[in-house]
Amino acid sequence: MNSQCNKHISLLLLTQLLLAALVSIPRTATAATLSIKNTNYAIPSGAYFVSPNGNESNSGRSADSPWPVSKAIASAPSGATIVFRGGTYRNVRLAVNKRLILQAYPNEQPWLKGSIVIDGWVPEGSIWRKDDWNYSFPPNQQPQAIDPNYPMAGYRDMVYINGVALKQVASKANVAPGTFYVDAGNKKLYIGSNPAGNTVEATVQTEGVVLWNSNASGSVVRGLGLVHYADRGIQIGAAGITVENNTLAWNGVDGITIQSSDVKVHGNNISYNGRKGVGGIRSHRLLLENNVISHNNVENFATNWSASGVKILWSDGAVVRGNMVDSNKSMGLWADESCSNITFVNNVTRNNRIGIYFEISHKAIIASNVVYNNRIAGIMILNASAARIYNNTLARNHANLLVQETSRNNTKSTEIAEGITWITRNTVVKNNILWHSSGPMFYAPGCATKEPSNLMVPTTNNNAYYRSSASRPVNLIWALSGNQCSQSFNSLASFQSATGLESNSLDIVNSNDPFFVDASANDFRLTSGSPALGRGEPLPADVANAIGVAAEIPVDLGALNNLEDDG
């Protein structure tokens, strides 16, 4: 396998780029450009059918005689399948209190929208007014979630004209073209763009599909689109839920929120949501796989609090693999606050603030990811222990790898007993390619605690550093002693001499990149003569198994192919 894979990294990367091209939403997305992945799920005998114009007098038992969705949710027995015909389901909130399969009719696109179409606008000077507007969604987040520069982020009202979102403003006086204002006290909605001849939609529901009741455990949601909800498209509080091949976009806060165990989220497009794409709280054994998670935090919530592509809290055993995580206006993949046994493998994460962030947590496998063009760091470890960082390709991030420790330590005795100390220790860094950066390649300062960096990172070896110039960027920044903040090393040889670490690593300075096919075009496959070929240390069994390659044999440096090569 490896002799063949040595010539091609990144069947993973190519697969994820293709996935993004097929299902991601363009930056200037409108209703017309939103799509749901085409699906063709089998329809079991005894299924129930719904459509936007379904009639309660219909049988509900054939595609030509559908019910309204509300009747099917109420009437179908536990274990039933409800098949959604294509079209737009308006002002829908589905509270599921039994085990159901909710799926799209073959090759059709069912859209569940938390909005309604508004007419009856009254001109008022240069703006337009809707009277008797009975909907208002004021902030319901923690104060820390709001960036002072964007005080309207927490207001969850949304208005769209022809599918394009308008910006909410704080007063009627501020209404201008492209904006709207909700006067909740007087029950009026104002917009600054002419509604004549256009479709105006506004949010009236908080959530799309709610699977909170424990009786809904084991339910499946697949092939649906959920948009325009004030809070989230899907909320999960029941165990064992599967969410696959859906589109969750343009929701006011989150695409999907998970507060239960053994949930599987795969093949979805989770993009352009107000705060984050996926939120997991005590989401033990979550599987987040092969999703496109892009352009979230459109409302500009505080980037250091909860905004992200994915944020997981207080969770054990989550696996995040094979996802394309692109252009979220905050962190890409983020495990925070006493997570444990987290696995981030085979992801592509680019153009975020931090690509992969492991914070105040314990035990992680971060392996075989392609991480590039992130504005602060590619991978960041902060007050977290036992992170094993293997075979990642890190390119053009401000800092490709950032490891830090502060005085913020855990005080919960039960968590400390499990090793969740919030102290950065036992970080292992092996087999990675660190390819150029705008800041330091590998930054592990001791400034906050005045401790030597080798307490945080006792093991780093078999890595490769590439720069086109010896003067920039700096290879490593490291604290050698307990009273030192940091010391810069412009060459790997000087770092090896000072620390005894990185004894089998490479430092290549060359105007021509010898590693990749075309890094300037984000093609990070290894060239046929790449110095990374076969140079990696054999992987521990659990790391190899997580990536999907053989253990205990030499591997390439950088991200590895995640499939067997039949050639």
Side-chain angles (χ1 to χ4, degrees):
M1 166 187 156
N2 284 286
S3 62
Q4 295 295 325
C5 292
N6 284 346
K7 298 177 182 178
H8 316 279
I9 155 185
S10 237
L11 180 53
L12 155 70
L13 177 59
L14 296 179
T15 298
Q16 295 304 320
L17 291 173
L18 177 60
L19 176 63
L22 288 174
V23 303
S24 66
I25 303 173
R27 183 178 295 273
T28 55
T30 68
T33 60
L34 286 170
S35 63
I36 305 169
K37 188 183 298 184
N38 193 61
T39 58
N40 189 18
Y41 292 112
I43 300 175
S45 175
Y48 295 79
F49 294 81
V50 300
S51 77
N53 57 357
N55 194 304
E56 292 200 3
S57 64
N58 288 340
S59 71
R61 307 311 295 273
S62 73
D64 297 326
S65 187
W67 277 342
V69 64
S70 58
K71 182 170 182 178
I73 294 292
S75 303
S78 181
T81 296
I82 298 176
V83 180
F84 288 68
R85 299 303 308 266
T88 300
Y89 299 74
R90 291 276 179 193
N91 192 10
V92 170
R93 181 181 185 272
L94 305 182
V96 178
N97 59 8
K98 66 194 86 171
R99 182 172 58 85
L100 294 173
I101 297 174
L102 310 181
Q103 68 182 48
Y105 189 85
N107 306 308
E108 293 188 357
Q109 291 202 346
W111 288 100
L112 280 62
K113 288 193 172 184
S115 61
I116 59 173
V117 175
I118 308 173
D119 53 20
W121 293 96
V122 178
E124 185 176 319
S126 61
I127 63 177
W128 288 262
R129 183 185 77 243
K130 173 65 177 178
D131 294 324
D132 300 318
W133 184 249
N134 296 307
Y135 305 97
S136 174
F137 301 96
N140 61 356
Q141 300 88 26
Q142 297 165 300
Q144 300 95 319
I146 306 302
D147 184 336
N149 295 312
Y150 299 95
M152 295 302 294
Y155 289 83
R156 299 159 294 132
D157 312 272
M158 293 182 290
V159 177
Y160 304 84
I161 295 183
N162 297 333
V164 177
L166 304 187
K167 179 182 177 181
Q168 189 168 9
V169 295
S171 70
K172 178 182 171 182
N174 291 329
V175 175
T179 69
F180 75 97
Y181 168 63
V182 177
D183 183 349
N186 293 305
K187 297 185 177 180
K188 298 181 187 300
L189 172 64
Y190 295 91
I191 61 174
S193 299
N194 192 341
N198 298 310
T199 300
V200 182
E201 302 167 278
T203 292
V204 297
Q205 284 286 356
T206 55
E207 298 152 330
V209 176
V210 180
L211 299 142
W212 197 261
N213 190 305
S214 61
N215 292 329
S217 296
S219 292
V220 178
V221 182
R222 56 194 188 187
L224 308 180
L226 295 108
V227 295
H228 297 179
Y229 289 95
D231 283 341
R232 58 193 63 84
I234 299 178
Q235 182 177 26
I236 298 175
I241 303 296
T242 297
V243 177
E244 68 177 25
N245 294 332
N246 304 285
T247 292
L248 299 107
W250 295 116
N251 298 294
V253 182
D254 299 342
I256 179 171
T257 301
I258 302 158
Q259 297 184 45
S260 61
S261 59
D262 301 301
V263 172
K264 297 179 181 179
V265 179
H266 55 87
N268 303 279
N269 188 344
I270 309 172
S271 301
Y272 288 96
N273 295 289
R275 182 177 64 180
K276 62 176 173 282
V278 180
I281 298 175
R282 296 184 175 86
S283 52
H284 307 308
R285 299 174 299 281
L286 168 67
L287 174 60
L288 190 65
E289 180 177 44
N290 296 338
N291 303 281
V292 171
I293 303 166
S294 72
H295 300 94
N296 293 291
N297 195 25
V298 297
E299 294 291 344
N300 293 296
F301 282 86
T303 58
N304 63 349
W305 191 253
S306 59
S308 56
V310 175
K311 186 168 186 180
I312 301 170
L313 297 151
W314 304 304
S315 299
D316 180 74
V319 175
V320 182
R321 68 185 177 213
N323 302 283
M324 168 60 76
V325 184
D326 179 26
S327 299
N328 298 283
K329 289 201 290 185
S330 186
M331 316 310 174
L333 301 174
W334 188 0
D336 187 15
E337 186 105 17
S338 300
C339 287
S340 56
N341 301 297
I342 302 296
T343 299
F344 294 111
V345 293
N346 299 338
N347 301 285
V348 175
T349 177
R350 64 188 186 187
N351 304 319
N352 310 286
R353 284 174 60 81
I354 297 174
I356 300 174
Y357 190 15
F358 187 55
E359 182 183 9
I360 55 174
S361 294
H362 176 58
K363 293 184 72 174
I365 294 173
I366 303 174
S368 194
N369 301 286
V370 178
V371 185
Y372 65 97
N373 289 0
N374 295 284
R375 293 182 295 280
I376 294 176
I379 296 173
M380 181 171 179
I381 311 299
L382 178 64
N383 288 83
S385 53
R388 291 186 292 163
I389 303 169
Y390 277 85
N391 283 96
N392 299 283
T393 294
L394 304 164
R396 297 194 305 269
N397 306 287
H398 178 68
N400 279 329
L401 178 58
L402 173 57
V403 181
Q404 286 186 299
E405 163 74 349
T406 72
S407 57
R408 178 178 56 165
N409 298 155
N410 203 348
T411 59
K412 299 174 184 176
S413 58
T414 54
E415 291 186 355
I416 293 171
E418 296 172 359
I420 308 172
T421 60
W422 301 2
I423 301 173
T424 305
R425 292 291 186 270
N426 300 319
T427 309
V428 175
V429 181
K430 290 188 176 183
N431 296 354
N432 303 280
I433 298 176
L434 294 89
W435 192 98
H436 249 296
S437 59
S438 56
M441 295 276 211
F442 185 172
Y443 185 34
C447 306
T449 57
K450 294 296 188 293
E451 293 177 341
S453 299
N454 62 8
L455 290 178
M456 299 187 295
V457 190
T459 305
T460 178
N461 206 0
N462 293 87
N463 301 296
Y465 298 82
Y466 167 73
R467 300 166 290 164
S468 59
S469 168
S471 60
R472 189 171 184 271
V474 173
N475 254 7
L476 296 104
I477 297 179
W478 204 262
L480 297 178
S481 66
N483 59 2
Q484 186 184 49
C485 178
S486 63
Q487 179 174 333
S488 297
F489 295 90
N490 284 315
S491 72
L492 194 61
S494 61
F495 179 79
Q496 290 166 333
S497 176
T499 66
L501 299 170
E502 297 277 33
S503 62
N504 196 37
S505 294
L506 291 172
D507 184 11
I508 294 179
V509 179
N510 195 312
S511 58
N512 296 313
D513 168 31
F515 284 94
F516 301 126
V517 171
D518 189 356
S520 64
N522 304 324
D523 185 345
F524 296 107
R525 292 174 297 163
L526 300 180
T527 63
S528 58
S530 174
L533 292 171
R535 193 178 175 91
E537 179 179 297
L539 297 173
D542 60 341
V543 175
N545 182 64
I547 297 172
V549 299
E552 304 302 339
I553 60 173
V555 296
D556 300 337
L557 303 183
L560 301 173
N561 198 333
N562 67 329
L563 296 176
E564 292 288 340
D565 191 321
D566 295 330

